[in-house]
Amino acid sequence: STTEKPILLNNIADAEAFVSRAEVAVIGFFQDPQSPEAEQFGLAAGQVPEVPFGLSSSAAVLSHYGVSANTVALFRTVDNDRRDLDMNNREVDAKKLVRFVRINELRLVTEYDPVTAIGVMQSSVEFNLLLLTDKMSPKHPERMRKFRAAAELYKGKILFILLDSNLKSNERVLSYFQLKKSQLPALAVFHTPDDEHDVLTVDEISIERVQDFCNRFLQ
């Protein structure tokens, strides 16, 4: 994107449109857009190019979102949730801001790694569906397209998670579900409050197969 980041949001309509256009959006609410906190926010925006960053110093916008000045809010559509970070603490810098975004940026399909795992654990959605697969496979783009289409149907009910079997840090998850790499791709559905889970090895992913597996488990 060649647009300057962050985008200035001058009124409530601008801010609402900005949030509604993205799976994950971040707004910095600053009374003084030239403040050191706003400067750190701008630096963080440059380090996370795939997430839109907006900035507002409009009193009406701050009031609409119920925030005080020097607050950063992350909005996500996957579970209609919002996370706030207080920038009045002098120790919050661009690095901490980037980490805040990385932890909380749950998407329709979130790729699992040690950082996103924290956000997944903190989500209010109690059901997780994992696609355990080899990202290097030539079939991966088509699998993802179908998995993502299925994710649309369960927004707010089930978090859809991609787990790449090539990552060493993911071997623990494979062994938890008692799966070997030779058995992949596989689907694993998980209920976080009681660790109840079910596993299905599949030749290929289809929207109908994902739906059937999810619905059976939900029932």
Side-chain angles (χ1 to χ4, degrees):
S1 162
T2 52
T3 52
E4 286 288 302
K5 286 181 65 170
I7 294 160
L8 285 176
L9 306 168
N10 297 315
N11 52 54
I12 294 167
D14 282 357
E16 287 187 333
F18 176 78
V19 169
S20 68
R21 277 198 302 268
E23 274 195 66
V24 178
V26 176
I27 300 182
F29 301 96
F30 299 101
Q31 238 161 355
D32 174 10
Q34 307 302 320
S35 67
E37 293 85 4
E39 192 182 325
Q40 291 299 314
F41 181 74
L43 288 173
Q47 292 172 44
V48 195
E50 69 279 17
V51 175
F53 275 60
L55 188 148
S56 187
S57 38
S58 147
V61 175
L62 268 74
S63 166
H64 177 71
Y65 286 105
V67 291
S68 55
N70 294 345
T71 300
V72 172
L74 178 143
F75 301 84
R76 58 190 191 207
T77 57
V78 66
D79 53 0
N80 201 20
D81 203 355
R82 167 180 151 184
R83 298 291 157 112
D84 289 4
L85 180 68
D86 184 356
M87 290 286 287
N88 287 304
N89 178 342
R90 293 281 163 205
E91 289 175 5
V92 177
D93 57 8
K95 191 177 171 186
K96 287 192 176 149
L97 259 169
V98 169
R99 183 169 166 78
F100 166 75
V101 173
R102 287 287 180 232
I103 285 174
N104 292 295
E105 59 165 343
L106 298 184
R107 298 166 181 273
L108 266 181
V109 176
T110 299
E111 183 161 352
Y112 187 89
D113 63 37
V115 177
T116 58
I118 301 168
V120 168
M121 309 270 186
Q122 291 174 348
S123 170
S124 56
V125 177
E126 295 185 339
F127 293 94
N128 297 339
L129 179 72
L130 285 79
L131 169 59
L132 305 106
T133 189
D134 172 5
K135 264 179 81 178
M136 295 311 205
S137 161
K139 294 178 176 175
H140 180 70
E142 183 57 18
R143 280 178 193 151
M144 274 304 288
R145 191 183 66 74
K146 289 175 179 164
F147 193 60
R148 195 183 163 77
E152 289 273 6
L153 308 171
Y154 294 95
K155 217 188 279 187
K157 282 192 195 153
I158 300 177
L159 284 183
F160 276 56
I161 297 160
L162 168 69
L163 189 126
D164 182 10
S165 58
N166 296 308
L167 282 187
K168 193 136 186 65
S169 57
N170 287 338
E171 284 173 6
R172 265 182 336 114
V173 184
L174 284 181
S175 64
Y176 176 82
F177 290 117
Q178 298 178 339
L179 285 165
K180 297 187 178 75
K181 282 189 180 180
S182 58
Q183 294 171 290
L184 303 183
L187 295 169
V189 66
F190 189 87
H191 184 231
T192 47
D194 58 10
D195 290 354
E196 185 78 25
H197 62 272
D198 194 12
V199 177
L200 177 71
T201 55
V202 286
D203 315 323
E204 269 326 312
I205 298 296
S206 74
I207 298 167
E208 297 72 26
R209 183 167 276 179
V210 172
Q211 269 187 285
D212 183 48
F213 182 58
C214 289
N215 292 345
R216 275 210 320 266
F217 189 77
L218 290 172
Q219 280 162 10

